[in-house]
Amino acid sequence: MKNSTNTIITVILAVAVVALFVLHFTDKPKTPKMAPMPTGDSTVVMPIAYVTIDSLMTQYNYAKDVNDKLMASAETKQANLNAQGRQLEKEMQDFQYKMNNNAFFSQERAEREYQRLAKKQQDFQQLQQKLSGELMEEQAKTMKSLSDTIWSQIRTYNELHGHYQVILTNQGGSIIYSVPMYDITEEVITYLNDQYDTSKSTAEKEETDKK
C-alpha cells in the first residue's frame, strides 16, 4: 500500500522542463533581405539565430514559477493520498488482527467488514488514478500556456530587436553545429524576464490595491 501511494506523483515530480518545438517565424523581416553569404566571406551574418531551450527553461522566471506551482500542487495531492492510504492500511491490519484472533462474533459480521474494506480499497485505487489524471491534465495545460507565452514573447522580441528570418532551438539535436555568434539565448532570457517581472509587479500592485 505504501509503495503504491508513493508512485502516483513520481512521474509528475520528475517532469520539470517542457520540451518546446522549433520556433520558426514566418513574418517578413522589416529590414532588407540579405544576399547569400559569399563563399569564404565570414563577415556576413545570416538572418538566423538560435536559442538554447534548456538554459531558457532554467533561467526564465515564469518557467521557474510554473514549475514550483506544479510541484506544490503535486505535493499537496500526494500528502492527502498518503494520509488516506495510511488510514486504509491501518483498517486492513485491524481486520486481519481480528480474524487471526477470532474476534468477530459472527461470520456475517466478518464478511461485511471484508466487503467494506474491499470497496474502500477499490475506491482508493480509483482515487489514485483520478489524481494522477488531474495532475497530468494540469501539467499539460500549464506547459501549453508556458509554451505559447514563450512563442509569443520571442516573436515580439524579434520584431523589436532581432528581425531574424528564422529562430531555431537546439532542443532534440535539431542543430548539430552552430557558431556562437548566432546564439541569442542570454538576450532572449533577459527580455523574457524583464517582461515577466514587469507584468508580475503590476499584477501584485493591483492585488494590493484591492485589499
Side-chain angles (χ1 to χ4, degrees):
M1 178 68 65
K2 186 174 181 180
N3 290 336
S4 64
T5 59
N6 285 334
T7 58
I8 180 175
I9 314 297
T10 301
V11 175
I12 303 297
L13 294 180
V15 179
V17 177
V18 60
L20 298 178
F21 42 82
V22 174
L23 300 174
H24 182 189
F25 300 102
T26 58
D27 289 348
K28 297 289 185 179
K30 297 179 181 179
T31 54
K33 291 185 177 180
M34 299 181 66
M37 182 185 297
T39 303
D41 186 353
S42 60
T43 63
V44 179
V45 180
M46 297 294 288
I48 296 174
Y50 74 91
V51 175
T52 302
I53 291 299
D54 289 345
S55 297
L56 189 151
M57 297 305 294
T58 57
Q59 298 178 43
Y60 182 22
N61 292 335
Y62 177 44
K64 291 189 287 186
D65 287 349
V66 162
N67 183 61
D68 288 343
K69 182 179 178 181
L70 286 174
M71 294 283 281
S73 177
E75 289 166 354
T76 298
K77 287 181 170 61
Q78 181 70 77
N80 292 334
L81 190 66
N82 286 346
Q84 294 187 47
R86 287 192 296 270
Q87 177 61 32
L88 176 57
E89 186 174 15
K90 181 179 182 300
E91 291 182 28
M92 294 176 69
Q93 290 174 346
D94 290 344
F95 173 78
Q96 189 62 49
Y97 176 80
K98 290 179 180 180
M99 289 292 294
N100 293 341
N101 291 276
N102 297 316
F104 288 104
F105 291 154
S106 67
Q107 181 65 30
E108 182 181 358
R109 283 182 58 82
E111 181 65 23
R112 284 204 304 269
E113 180 64 8
Y114 174 82
Q115 294 296 335
R116 185 186 73 83
L117 290 176
K119 177 63 167 57
K120 192 169 183 178
Q121 184 178 35
Q122 182 181 25
D123 291 343
F124 179 76
Q125 292 172 346
Q126 291 176 348
L127 178 61
Q128 283 182 307
Q129 297 175 355
K130 178 175 179 290
L131 291 180
S132 179
E134 288 177 353
L135 285 170
M136 289 292 187
E137 182 178 359
E138 179 183 3
Q139 183 188 56
K141 288 181 178 179
T142 301
M143 290 303 153
K144 175 62 166 56
S145 176
L146 174 60
S147 176
D148 289 346
T149 297
I150 292 175
W151 177 292
S152 176
Q153 290 287 1
I154 291 182
R155 287 179 65 92
T156 302
Y157 163 84
N158 189 51
E159 292 171 357
L160 295 175
H161 304 287
H163 304 304
Y164 298 105
Q165 289 184 344
V166 178
I167 297 182
L168 305 171
T169 80
N170 64 344
Q171 182 73 29
S174 58
I175 297 178
I176 298 177
Y177 173 78
S178 61
V179 179
M181 66 186 299
Y182 293 110
D183 186 354
I184 61 171
T185 303
E186 292 302 323
E187 299 172 28
V188 169
I189 290 174
T190 298
Y191 175 80
L192 291 176
N193 282 334
D194 287 344
Q195 297 301 307
Y196 177 60
D197 293 344
T198 299
S199 63
K200 186 176 181 180
S201 298
T202 301
E204 291 175 348
K205 184 178 183 301
E206 291 176 350
E207 185 65 25
T208 301
D209 293 341
K210 292 179 182 179
K211 295 181 180 180

